[in-house]
Amino acid sequence: MRPTIGLALGGGAARGFAHIGVIRTLAAHGIVPDVIVGTSIGAVVGGCHAAGQLDNLETWARSLTTRSVMSYLDISLSGSGLIGGNRLASKLTEGLQDTRIEDLPMRFAAIATEFSTGHEIWLTRGRLSNALRASYALPGIFPPVKIGGRWLVDGALVNPVPVSAARALGARVVIAVNLNADLFGRGTIIADHGSDEKDDPPPVPEVQHGLRALFGREASLRRKLFGDHGRPGIPTVMVEAFNVMQDRITRARLAGDPPDVLISPRLGSIGWFDFHRNKDAIAVGVDAAEKALETVTEAIESLSQPYEAGVSGGK
């Protein structure tokens, strides 16, 4: 009897399409999970797989271009996120309909964070589409999602690669996929740094009036959103800061609760918002899973038990 297999899928935005390649490769070799937990894009891919919608998700992912990605960005400056997220949520709901987590054929959890308390929330019941939307609600980019009276945001704030959740849901062998392990050169210490003559002086605000002031405000808003002259815009600052934090948390949590097998796709060249590079990400996932197959098989075999006829046991 083989042990219960759990798949823990990490967050990483556009890099998350690599999860599709990993799942496809494992399934092709008869390795099908009994438990799936995911954070952010990992929750989306894992949830779609559990609901039998991975084919539709992959077809949609492979159709994305730079222009089509922009069509999903309903910019909103009046809410609690730069992107309203309704267009993307509608696309997600289109395939999942009213699917509920408790009705899935395998155990599933989407990881989210209650931003007012910092609680790690495991979404294990209710509408699947709502749970996935909460799990990928990157603070400042997407608005928080209210589920069961709690306002929830991206689960990567607390558990970027949810190995602990997979074990808690009964997985004996946990296969984890970390999408951010290939960020070489980040997170070191610069022990001696300071200002020099090349630094720009603080800008002096220019007082403007009339139409010039109106257009000046619009230009200032564009600079804040998209950056200017090498200065990063607001979304870039938020995402990169989140990336640093997620990297630190991932290292700490994987060290404290390591999976039985860790798959680390080489995705360093694919940015968080490079959704148009979907085919590249899927192919990298396939390659990473193929390289890990021997280790996965060994882990499963080492924890398998011989079946004895006439012996009853638990599920």
Side-chain angles (χ1 to χ4, degrees):
M1 297 187 300
R2 75 167 178 80
T4 303
I5 299 174
L7 196 56
L9 305 177
R15 295 173 185 155
F17 289 144
H19 289 317
I20 297 175
V22 171
I23 291 173
R24 294 288 195 206
T25 303
L26 293 178
H29 290 80
I31 303 168
V32 180
D34 306 288
V35 177
I36 294 183
V37 295
T39 294
S40 197
I41 186 65
V44 173
V45 177
C48 288
H49 176 54
Q53 293 294 317
L54 190 63
D55 288 346
N56 291 336
L57 176 66
E58 182 173 358
T59 299
W60 173 74
R62 289 182 179 276
S63 71
L64 290 176
T65 62
T66 303
R67 175 172 293 184
S68 62
V69 169
M70 295 299 293
S71 69
Y72 288 103
L73 305 183
D74 45 345
I75 303 297
S76 173
L77 299 179
S78 59
S80 49
L82 291 175
I83 300 173
N86 292 323
R87 296 175 189 170
L88 188 58
S90 296
K91 183 64 181 179
L92 193 62
T93 306
E94 181 182 304
L96 298 176
Q97 298 296 325
D98 292 323
T99 301
R100 299 183 66 82
I101 296 175
E102 56 267 36
D103 295 332
L104 294 173
M106 60 185 68
R107 280 158 283 180
F108 175 79
I111 311 302
T113 305
E114 185 177 25
F115 76 88
S116 61
T117 63
H119 293 331
E120 180 177 330
I121 308 296
W122 296 359
L123 295 166
T124 56
R125 52 188 170 85
R127 290 189 66 187
L128 178 60
S129 59
N130 288 351
L132 304 188
R133 187 175 182 181
S135 188
Y136 70 69
L138 184 64
I141 303 297
F142 292 107
V145 178
K146 192 174 186 180
I147 296 180
R150 300 177 186 271
W151 286 102
L152 306 179
V153 294
D154 199 311
L157 285 168
V158 290
N159 201 348
V161 185
V163 174
S164 56
R167 294 201 189 282
L169 290 182
R172 184 67 181 87
V173 174
V174 178
I175 305 166
V177 184
N178 179 16
L179 302 175
N180 301 299
D182 201 23
L183 302 179
F184 298 117
R186 298 179 66 100
T188 59
I189 296 175
I190 309 300
D192 184 18
H193 187 69
S195 61
D196 55 33
E197 293 79 6
K198 295 181 180 179
D199 293 333
D200 296 329
V204 179
E206 180 182 354
V207 179
Q208 299 175 333
H209 303 281
L211 289 175
R212 187 176 181 185
L214 176 62
F215 289 116
R217 283 195 295 271
E218 291 183 357
S220 176
L221 179 60
R222 285 196 299 271
R223 286 195 296 271
K224 289 180 179 179
L225 288 176
F226 303 110
D228 185 44
H229 301 301
R231 183 186 299 271
I234 293 176
T236 302
V237 171
M238 294 174 62
V239 169
E240 287 300 327
F242 189 82
N243 206 10
V244 171
M245 178 193 66
Q246 178 174 296
D247 176 60
R248 295 296 195 280
I249 296 174
T250 300
R251 294 186 194 186
R253 296 210 60 156
L254 289 180
D257 189 7
D260 298 287
V261 180
L262 180 61
I263 299 177
S264 302
R266 298 300 188 187
L267 296 159
S269 63
I270 299 177
W272 269 42
F273 293 114
D274 289 343
F275 289 97
H276 60 286
R277 297 191 59 190
N278 40 75
K279 299 177 183 64
D280 293 337
I282 293 173
V284 171
V286 169
D287 182 64
E290 288 178 343
K291 291 178 178 177
L293 280 173
E294 183 177 351
T295 306
V296 172
T297 302
E298 288 177 354
I300 294 173
E301 290 178 349
S302 67
L303 293 173
S304 295
Q305 299 177 355
Y307 175 76
E308 297 181 12
V311 177
S312 62
K315 183 177 179 180

